[in-house]
Amino acid sequence: MILGRLNHVGVATPSIDDSIAFYRDVMGATAIGEPFDLPAQGVRVCFVDTPPSTGSGRGTQIELIEPLGDASPIRGFIEKSPAGGQHHVCYEVPDIHAAKAWFEAKGVRVLGEPRIGAHGTPIFFLHPRGTGGVLTEIMEAPGDGH
Ligand code: CO
C-alpha cells in the first residue's frame, strides 16, 4: 500500500454551530458546507474546506462531528473532553478492500467492515493501539467531482 493524501482531520465538538462560527470568524474559513446528520454513524457532520496547496485539486478538510443520539460513538469522547478536540485523521487509498487486507496482514486491528462514510465512499477505522495512538480512518478516494 502507498499512503494517499490526508483527506480530513476529524474534530469532535459539542456544538457544530459554535464550531462553524469559530472556523468562519476566527480561522477565516470561507468554504463551509451545510451540516448534515449521519444516523448510521451516530454523528452530525460538517465539512470545512482548506484550500489546495497548488491552487488546484482538493484541499484537506476539517470534519466537524457532533454526537447524534444517545448511542453516538463520540459521546464518550465529548464527556472526557467537553470542549471537543481532535478525534481522528483520515487518509485516502485507491482500494478499500486491498487496504483492509494490507493492515490485517500487518497486524493492525481494523474496526468493523468497510462502510459508507460521510463522503459517500467506503471507509474503515484502525484501532489506535496499532497506529501509535492515533485513531485513523482509511477512506476509498472519491472519484472525480468530489
Ligand atoms: Co472522518
Side-chain angles (χ1 to χ4, degrees), residues 9-141:
V9 175
V11 173
T13 173
S15 165
I16 274 188
D17 290 342
D18 289 352
S19 291
I20 288 172
F22 169 76
Y23 280 93
R24 183 188 60 221
D25 301 338
V26 179
M27 299 304 288
T30 58
I32 300 175
E34 277 298 312
F36 59 97
D37 291 352
L38 204 59
Q41 311 263 5
V43 288
R44 183 164 172 75
V45 180
C46 178
F47 288 109
V48 178
D49 292 353
T50 70
S53 56
T54 58
S56 65
R58 294 172 292 130
T60 294
Q61 293 178 310
I62 304 297
E63 179 188 62
L64 300 172
I65 46 176
E66 177 189 304
L68 179 71
D70 292 338
S72 172
I74 63 165
R75 192 162 291 286
F77 184 100
I78 293 295
E79 280 166 10
K80 276 188 220 140
S81 304
Q86 187 188 324
H87 182 262
H88 65 273
V89 295
C90 177
Y91 300 105
E92 294 180 2
V93 296
D95 182 317
I96 198 78
H97 295 289
K100 180 170 183 276
W102 169 272
F103 286 114
E104 286 172 343
K106 295 284 182 191
V108 179
R109 193 172 141 213
V110 172
L111 297 170
E113 290 300 311
R115 53 203 176 275
I116 298 300
H119 289 80
T121 68
I123 62 105
F124 59 77
F125 282 88
L126 299 173
H127 196 287
R129 204 169 293 143
T131 58
V134 179
L135 180 60
T136 300
E137 181 180 2
I138 300 296
M139 165 187 176
E140 192 160 288

